[in-house]
Amino acid sequence: MISSAARTAAGQLFSPEFRSVFIKTLGLTLLALVALWFGLTSLVEWLALPWLHALLPGMPSWAGALGGIIAAIALAFGMALLIAPVTAIVAGLFLDDIAEVVERTDYPGDPTGRAMPALRSLVLSARFLGVVILGNLVALLLLLVPGVNIAAFFIVNGYLLGREFFEFAAMRFRPEEEARALRRHYAGTVFLAGLVISAFLAVPLLNLVTPLFAAAMMVHLHKAISTREAGST
């Protein structure tokens, strides 16, 4: 069930039906990341470098160059951490579009889910952003623990991403409490699907479209679970 949903979602990312949303999401994400890079660079030049010169007056030119290299490395590391929340914000604007395309093209005989109201969508996007930031902070701290490190990234993000994206897909057809109850009932399956999403997130460049892949995958997973639920009643 999970592997089928993942393969189908991955294949759809670059299909003609997804192309418009894909281009918009990728373009806005790259623009946001470029703006953040220049903003953080300006902040470092404005705050950190004058402070360093004041702390170490008369330092040789090579020390300033070394400081610039270290600052660039730190900025690059910071940008890597910001990719997940930035893509979450941007893609959050288009998740309903992705879900609707999947439902319309792959399940033409089923009713299309309802898009969430703008205010509710904004609240969920903000909550998802908080979840992503918190999850990555926890994973970053656990990276310092020997024997845990990389596994922490996948476990934390697998749980959080699986939970949020499955509930998003389910809430297009169910009340919020019912969607949460369904996710809890299939917690193991949703977590394993979340691990697939976190693996996608760990791949450079692909991580820019992780939310789109996750939304499409969870629509397929929710459909499969709903079919199983209907068959067991």
Side-chain angles (χ1 to χ4, degrees):
M1 182 161 51
I2 294 173
S3 60
S4 174
R7 284 196 305 269
T8 305
Q12 286 179 313
L13 271 182
F14 306 102
S15 66
E17 294 84 3
F18 274 56
R19 191 168 297 150
S20 174
V21 179
F22 176 82
I23 292 173
K24 286 187 292 187
T25 302
L26 186 59
L28 287 174
T29 299
L30 291 175
L31 283 175
L33 289 172
V34 168
L36 276 173
W37 171 262
F38 282 110
L40 289 174
T41 302
S42 300
L43 190 63
V44 168
E45 292 177 352
W46 179 50
L47 292 178
L49 293 183
W51 177 83
L52 186 61
H53 283 291
L55 183 66
L56 301 171
M59 65 178 180
S61 58
W62 63 264
L66 180 61
I69 293 173
I70 294 173
I73 294 173
L75 280 172
F77 183 71
M79 288 298 296
L81 293 178
L82 286 172
I83 285 176
V86 169
T87 53
I89 294 172
V90 174
L93 303 173
F94 304 107
L95 292 184
D96 276 311
D97 294 343
I98 287 291
E100 185 177 341
V101 169
V102 172
E103 292 162 4
R104 187 176 64 248
T105 56
D106 285 43
Y107 308 95
D110 296 349
T112 303
R114 63 186 182 280
M116 287 182 288
L119 181 59
R120 181 59 182 156
S121 179
L122 182 62
V123 170
L124 287 177
S125 295
R127 191 178 73 178
F128 175 66
L129 173 62
V131 163
V132 169
I133 292 174
L134 178 62
N136 282 277
L137 285 176
V138 171
L140 179 62
L141 292 175
L142 290 176
L143 286 175
L144 305 175
V145 181
V148 178
N149 44 58
I150 300 301
F153 172 86
F154 290 103
I155 293 172
V156 172
N157 280 288
Y159 170 74
L160 295 175
L161 293 172
R163 184 186 72 180
E164 294 301 318
F165 278 103
F166 182 81
E167 289 185 4
F168 155 76
M171 281 191 289
R172 286 178 57 83
F173 295 91
R174 306 167 186 267
E176 185 172 348
E177 287 305 315
E178 185 180 334
R180 288 179 178 173
L182 186 67
R183 189 264 305 168
R184 287 193 292 265
H185 185 68
Y186 289 91
T189 300
V190 172
F191 173 66
L192 290 176
L195 288 179
V196 175
I197 297 170
S198 64
F200 211 84
L201 184 65
V203 179
L205 298 182
L206 284 182
N207 53 14
L208 295 175
V209 293
T210 296
L212 302 186
F213 166 76
M217 178 182 175
M218 287 306 192
V219 168
H220 289 296
L221 185 62
H222 174 254
K223 285 287 187 180
I225 287 177
S226 297
T227 300
R228 176 180 292 184
E229 287 281 296
S232 64
T233 56

